[in-house]
Amino acid sequence: MSTVLIMGASRGIGLEFVRQYREAGERVIATARDDQGLERLRALGAEPLRLDVGQPTSVSALSWQLDGEKLDVALYVAGVIDRASAASPPTQPTFDRVMHTNVMGAMQVIPQVLPLVEEAGGVFGALSSAMSQIGSVPGSNSWLYRVSKAALNMAVSSARFDYPKARLVALDPGWVQTDMGGGGAPLTAEASVRGLRAVLASVTPEDNGRLIHHDGRRAGHW
Ligand SMILES: NC(=O)c1ccc[n+]([C@@H]2O[C@H](COP(=O)([O-])OP(=O)(O)OC[C@H]3O[C@@H](n4cnc5c(N)ncnc54)[C@H](OP(=O)(O)O)[C@@H]3O)[C@@H](O)[C@H]2O)c1
């Protein structure tokens, strides 16, 4: 039985990861930031932890909460979007909310969680997006979100040098039917997560630091 940690699992893609890994018989430790989210995780048989990735004090509690664990898979799923384009500047509160959740939280989690992933020779995945890819930008919609996910990719790619016994990748789930993706998205959370679980099971040392799509395609450009 593998041990899987999912950070940002109260709903959407994170909650579906919990459901599928539990269904596969794995031990799942999963985080949410409110009581309703924690209850949903408990109901699926996960071990719930309270975590707000935008609050450094909350993130710093992870170390002792996970003391002694060996993590085969650790996933940073928490994320928020802002859809404004480059026609308007982000306000500081909006910038802080998106960058703290999508980037700072991941950079604070990595040094705490990666030693536990190394203990198991496991995989760390951060939920990024095709919208992070500088080599294929079709427009400026959601430009702050694009910036945050490009920064997240860099955090993952550079961190791999400090944790050589783990594999670190950024993951593109596709456009998925969740609160963020909306009902018009082509992929169900079930299909996206099924693909991402197959990707996680197939990550090789050569993939270290890359962005990988839910269907297994390795990104040519970030
Ligand atoms: N859906 C898509 O089409 C799509 C496409 C590309 C990439 N992604 C990425 O995939 C990931 C999951 O997206 P989703 O579609 O499942 O989004 P979602 O349905 O909006 O869920 C977002 C999740 O992030 C959590 N979260 C947000 N801020 C947090 C914080 N400060 N601390 C802890 N958790 C926090 C939310 O928890 P609360 O319930 O507490 O708010 C929720 O569990 C995100 O990183 C997103 O950028 C999604």
Side-chain angles (χ1 to χ4, degrees), residues 67-89:
D67 192 29
E69 297 288 357
K70 292 180 184 182
L71 302 174
D72 298 282
V73 177
L75 297 172
Y76 188 88
V77 184
V80 290
I81 193 166
D82 181 76
R83 298 182 198 277
S85 76
S88 58

Side-chain angles (χ1 to χ4, degrees), residues 84-90 140-141 143:
S85 76
S88 58
S140 80
N141 60 303
W143 73 318

Side-chain angles (χ1 to χ4, degrees), residues 98-149:
V98 174
M99 294 299 279
H100 284 182
T101 310
N102 295 3
V103 186
M104 186 185 75
M107 294 176 77
Q108 293 194 325
V109 154
I110 282 172
Q112 298 187 64
V113 165
L114 260 295
L116 310 180
V117 179
E118 280 199 298
E119 285 285 327
V123 185
F124 173 85
L127 268 284
S128 183
S129 166
M131 293 172 80
S132 69
Q133 293 180 269
I134 294 172
S136 56
V137 185
S140 80
N141 60 303
S142 306
W143 73 318
L144 176 55
Y145 180 76
R146 291 179 187 279
V147 167
S148 74
K149 292 297 188 181

Side-chain angles (χ1 to χ4, degrees), residues 8-14 33-34 40 51-54 77-80 101 127-129 145 149 172-176 178-181:
S10 62
R11 54 197 166 94
I13 293 169
R33 56 180 168 167
D34 61 22
R40 281 196 287 279
L51 173 66
D52 184 335
V53 301
V77 184
V80 290
T101 310
L127 268 284
S128 183
S129 166
Y145 180 76
K149 292 297 188 181
D172 164 30
W175 182 15
V176 187
T178 62
D179 293 338
M180 185 184 291

Side-chain angles (χ1 to χ4, degrees), residues 181-198:
L187 275 175
T188 62
E190 196 275 328
S192 171
V193 168
R194 194 165 6 91
L196 290 170
R197 287 176 51 233

